[in-house]
Amino acid sequence: MDANTTIEHQEVVTEKEYAGIGARFLAIFLDGIIIGIPMYILFFVVTILVFGLDGGTQMLFSETYPEEEISDAEAMAFLGKMILYLILVFVISIGGGIAYYAGMHASKWQATFGKKILGIKVTDLNGQKISFWRSLGRHLSMQFISSIFMIGFIIAFFTERKQSLHDLIAGTIVVKDK
């Protein structure tokens, strides 16, 4: 190359078509059904495993049971089972949500099943696939911050790239998958 030759670097800019807010909410609804049905079945199984098919389950679901007084030991055993059940449901709910949402958004699809059905995906601000850790941060901020009074979702109506609060926190956008 001689001194008079200049090389210009041109950045390739691709226009991103941001996903509509309606499509995003429909995707959340579909994902709720897709993940909700298996979770409901799993919680039913956990209920049976923790409380059994004997008096424990009957005590849990009956308004009139027990007809006779229960001993302190039986009450403490039931309380222990209830605490175990609540811990298991909490861990399964959080773990299932992380596995589904964070895992799917960080996958090669870059979308949950609901988003994939609607033809939208999650990317970083440059249109690239996000890491699991960024996806995890996005999911947790959606669960704990964006859900408060739905304000985190309402913000999407007023941002240029239709970003919800959790997208702003994680540095992500939701775009149409071409």
Side-chain angles (χ1 to χ4, degrees):
M1 272 192 236
D2 65 336
N4 294 331
T5 306
T6 59
I7 299 174
E8 293 183 23
H9 293 282
Q10 295 182 344
E11 187 175 317
V12 178
V13 178
T14 58
E15 282 296 314
K16 297 174 190 81
E17 191 173 352
Y18 302 111
I21 295 162
R24 293 180 67 173
F25 275 105
L26 185 56
I28 290 171
F29 177 76
L30 291 173
D31 287 329
I33 293 170
I34 290 166
I35 196 171
I37 291 171
M39 291 294 255
Y40 179 79
I41 293 167
L42 183 58
F43 293 151
F44 181 76
V45 169
V46 168
T47 302
I48 298 303
L49 291 175
V50 170
F51 293 102
L53 292 173
D54 59 358
T57 306
Q58 186 179 4
M59 186 185 300
L60 184 65
F61 294 114
S62 175
E63 293 179 19
T64 59
Y65 184 87
E67 293 172 0
E68 66 274 347
E69 290 290 318
I70 60 171
S71 69
D72 288 344
E74 290 173 317
M76 290 306 291
F78 181 77
L79 179 62
K81 288 180 180 181
M82 181 59 81
I83 291 170
L84 173 64
Y85 176 76
L86 293 174
I87 290 169
L88 287 173
V89 166
F90 178 77
V91 169
I92 291 168
S93 296
I94 298 295
I98 288 171
Y100 181 72
Y101 290 100
M104 294 292 289
H105 287 147
S107 73
K108 68 178 181 176
W109 275 10
Q110 298 174 258
T112 59
F113 289 115
K115 284 183 178 71
K116 188 73 172 169
I117 290 167
L118 295 171
I120 58 179
K121 66 181 182 179
V122 177
T123 71
D124 67 9
L125 298 177
N126 298 317
Q128 303 299 311
K129 183 172 141 335
I130 61 174
S131 70
F132 174 79
W133 298 109
R134 180 176 289 204
S135 184
L136 176 62
R138 181 181 187 276
H139 172 68
L140 293 177
S141 63
M142 181 177 68
Q143 291 300 308
F144 298 112
I145 299 171
S146 288
S147 299
I148 298 171
F149 302 120
M150 303 301 281
I151 196 74
F153 297 105
I154 293 169
I155 289 173
F157 287 101
F158 305 102
T159 59
E160 182 181 337
R161 295 181 277 194
K162 300 180 184 175
Q163 291 174 287
S164 296
L165 182 58
H166 54 275
D167 291 314
L168 293 169
I169 290 169
T172 58
I173 52 176
V174 181
V175 297
K176 292 188 178 178
D177 192 9
K178 297 181 181 190

